[in-house]
Amino acid sequence: MNRFDGKVAFITGAAAGIGRATAIRLGSEGASLYLVDVAVEGLEETAKLCGAGGAEVEAAFCDITSEDEVHGAIQACVGRFGRLDTLCNIAGILLLDHFDKITPDQFRRVLEVNLVGAFMLSQAAMPHLLKSKGSIVNTSSTSALAGMPYGAAYGTSKGGVSALTRTLAVEFGKQGVRCNAVNPGSIKTAMMGGDRLPKNVDGQLLMRVMSIGPPRGPEVVAATIAMLASEDGIHINGEEIRVDGGTLA
Ligand SMILES: NC(=O)c1ccc[n+]([C@@H]2O[C@H](COP(=O)([O-])OP(=O)(O)OC[C@H]3O[C@@H](n4cnc5c(N)ncnc54)[C@H](O)[C@@H]3O)[C@@H](O)[C@H]2O)c1
C-alpha cells in the first residue's frame, strides 16, 4: 500500500528542482498529479518522468500570479481527477541584491510570485481540501527564520509564507485541513546555480547562511514534503521543518 494511493496532488513549480522532485516522489507513492509551471518544456519533461514511473499525470501552463489562471488550474485538476488532497506550493523566484538597489517593482514582483501566488492557490484549493480533509505544504526558506543578507525581498516573501502557513493551520485545522511548510537551505537546483550574488558582497555576512553540511539535491526536500502531506504527518499542523543540513541549528 502506497501512502498516496487514491490521492490527488497539485504541484506548482513542477518544471524543475524541488517541484519536479516532489512530483516524482508523490507519483512514485501512488498520487495522481496535476503539475503546473510557466516553463513548459521542463514541465513536459517532469510529466514524462512521472508517467514513466506509473503515475497518472496532467501538466498545464499556469502563471501563479494570475488569479484567473490559478482558479482555472485548480478547477481543471478537480475536473480531471475528481478531487484534490494535497496542494504543494513550490514555485518561487529568488532575488539577491543590496538593499538600496532593490526597486519597489522588484520587491513587489518577488512578493507576487512567492507569497500572493501561494495565497491565491490556497484560496482556490481550500473548498476541495475541506471535502477531502487534505493538506497544504508550502515552501518557505531558511531566510524566513534568520536574516539573509541581500535577501530583503526574498526573505520578506518567505516570512509571509511562514505566517500564512500558521494562519491557515489554525483557521482550518478544526475542519481537518492541515497546513505546513518546509524551509530548505543550500539545495542544489537552478535557483542556487550561477552567480546570483551582487557585486561587493560582505563575505563574513554570507557565512551566516552557508551550509555546514554538503549541499544536497531537491529529493531531500521532496521526501519531507511527502511526509508532511501523508498520513505520517497527520498530527503535524502549522509546523515548519528546516531541510538545510543544520545550517540554522
Ligand atoms: N534551492 C534552495 O536552496 C531553496 C532554498 C530555500 C527555498 N527554496 C524554495 O524552493 C522552491 C523551489 O525552488 P527550486 O530551488 O526548486 O528553484 P527552481 O528555480 O529550480 O524552481 C522554481 C520553479 O518555479 C517556477 N516559477 C517561477 N515563477 C513562476 C510563476 N509565476 N508561475 C508558475 N511557476 C513559476 C519556475 O519556472 C521553476 O520551474 C522556491 O519557492 C524556492 O524559493 C529553495
Side-chain angles (χ1 to χ4, degrees), residues 17-18 37 62-64 90 139-140 154 158 184 187 189 191-192:
I18 295 168
D37 204 297
C62 172
D63 181 342
I64 64 162
I90 301 177
T139 313
S140 184
Y154 184 75
K158 293 300 185 178
I187 303 299
T189 65
M191 184 176 278
M192 290 293 132

Side-chain angles (χ1 to χ4, degrees), residues 105-116:
D105 277 349
Q106 286 177 316
F107 193 88
R108 281 189 206 101
R109 175 69 189 161
V110 174
L111 257 62
E112 276 290 324
V113 177
N114 293 358
L115 180 55
V116 183

Side-chain angles (χ1 to χ4, degrees), residues 182-195:
V182 287
N183 308 93
S186 303
I187 303 299
K188 273 192 289 181
T189 65
M191 184 176 278
M192 290 293 132
D195 191 5

